[in-house]
Amino acid sequence: ACFFFFLGTMNKGQALKAASVALIAAMAISVSSCGNQKKQDEYKRAGIEQMDEKDYDKALKSFNKALALSATVGKDEKDIALYKASAQHELGKNGDAINTLNGLLEFDSSDYKAIFLRGCIYADINKPEKALTDLKKACSISKKASLYENAFQTLISAGMDDEAEDFYDVMPKEARASKKVLKLRVIDFEKKADFASALDSAQSYLIQFPDDADMKKEEEFLKLQTGS
């Protein structure tokens, strides 16, 4: 699963769903007076509702019908193709989803939404090098701190710790200092039983968010684990 997204200690599927919310929020549904455009918009809206209802098979059919009504590739068609790839991924048709995104990227190789979603899918199917490459590229194009945060969580949730550390090294300061990333660092170091690093991360977190009672308890636990 990779479309609709995140916070806290999520499993891999939940985290990958999270990454899509950022994409979906950025997608606008335009309406035109053209007959075909109106019909396309109806299919698109129906598909989005079916995605919300987790009826991914019907959603995929709706998105295919929407795309069949246009002979060109504009903003609407790009958005629909992203939804289509998401539906394919939800149905376990990962190869089809990647092919849909590859086709989209043939029209616009700098479409960071398509690259990001492909990276999420690669993370979900355990392709760490490809996931890291796509997530880095998408974030470098977008430059949005929130996308860096979501990409970092995607790698952590997929169990790709080495890739997550590699990615962390290229994250901008704003993203590194975010509440989400700081908390993820604590969780990840604990998972690896690196309690000293987890304690350092917890204390860094508390410098910025000193009123977080749960993290204060975590700090005390980590002090006991490290003998501090």
Side-chain angles (χ1 to χ4, degrees):
C2 189
F3 226 70
F4 302 109
F5 223 123
F6 20 145
L7 207 67
T9 54
M10 294 184 166
N11 63 37
K12 181 166 69 174
Q14 289 172 319
L16 297 181
K17 283 176 184 292
S20 313
V21 164
L23 298 181
I24 288 182
M27 295 178 191
I29 302 174
S30 61
V31 180
S32 168
S33 60
C34 171
N36 269 7
Q37 181 64 50
K38 280 189 173 181
K39 193 66 178 175
Q40 183 186 66
D41 188 65
E42 288 175 9
Y43 282 130
K44 181 180 179 180
R45 288 178 185 274
I48 292 170
E49 290 174 4
Q50 289 153 352
M51 290 287 285
D52 285 335
E53 295 165 359
K54 302 189 187 311
D55 193 341
Y56 304 118
D57 188 60
K58 282 186 178 179
L60 179 57
K61 290 175 182 176
S62 292
F63 296 137
N64 279 332
K65 288 177 181 177
L67 290 170
L69 289 170
S70 178
T72 61
V73 179
K75 183 183 182 301
D76 278 344
E77 287 73 28
K78 290 178 181 180
D79 286 352
I80 294 166
L82 285 170
Y83 283 111
K84 174 182 175 178
S86 175
Q88 289 170 320
H89 178 51
E90 294 285 0
L91 290 167
K93 299 179 178 181
N94 296 310
D96 289 345
I98 290 169
N99 286 338
T100 296
L101 295 169
N102 287 343
L104 188 54
L105 288 165
E106 286 182 9
F107 289 96
D108 182 3
S109 62
S110 63
D111 186 337
Y112 76 87
K113 297 174 190 175
I115 299 168
F116 187 85
L117 180 53
R118 190 175 65 181
C120 289
I121 295 173
Y122 280 137
D124 200 22
I125 62 176
N126 198 29
K127 300 283 186 183
E129 290 185 11
K130 289 185 175 182
L132 179 61
T133 297
D134 272 357
L135 294 175
K136 275 185 174 180
K137 184 175 181 180
C139 290
S140 68
I141 295 170
S142 166
K143 303 188 186 305
K144 294 179 180 178
S146 59
L147 205 66
Y148 276 98
E149 294 167 22
N150 291 339
F152 183 67
Q153 181 159 0
T154 295
L155 293 168
I156 291 289
S157 299
M160 298 176 178
D161 295 335
D162 290 342
E163 288 73 23
E165 283 302 304
D166 188 331
F167 186 83
Y168 181 82
D169 289 340
V170 302
M171 290 174 70
K173 185 177 180 180
E174 180 186 356
R176 287 192 190 193
S178 72
K179 190 172 187 177
K180 181 189 294 185
V181 170
L182 288 170
K183 188 175 287 188
L184 277 170
R185 296 278 283 173
V186 177
I187 294 167
D188 191 44
F189 283 130
E190 279 194 26
K191 184 177 69 176
K192 295 185 285 192
D194 185 350
F195 297 115
S197 296
L199 178 59
D200 286 343
S201 295
Q203 290 173 335
S204 295
Y205 177 97
L206 287 168
I207 289 171
Q208 293 196 61
F209 308 102
D211 298 327
D212 191 318
D214 289 336
M215 190 59 76
K216 286 180 180 178
K217 292 178 183 177
E218 197 66 25
E219 180 188 28
E220 292 306 313
F221 165 77
L222 291 167
K223 283 181 178 179
L224 287 174
Q225 294 297 313
T226 58
S228 301

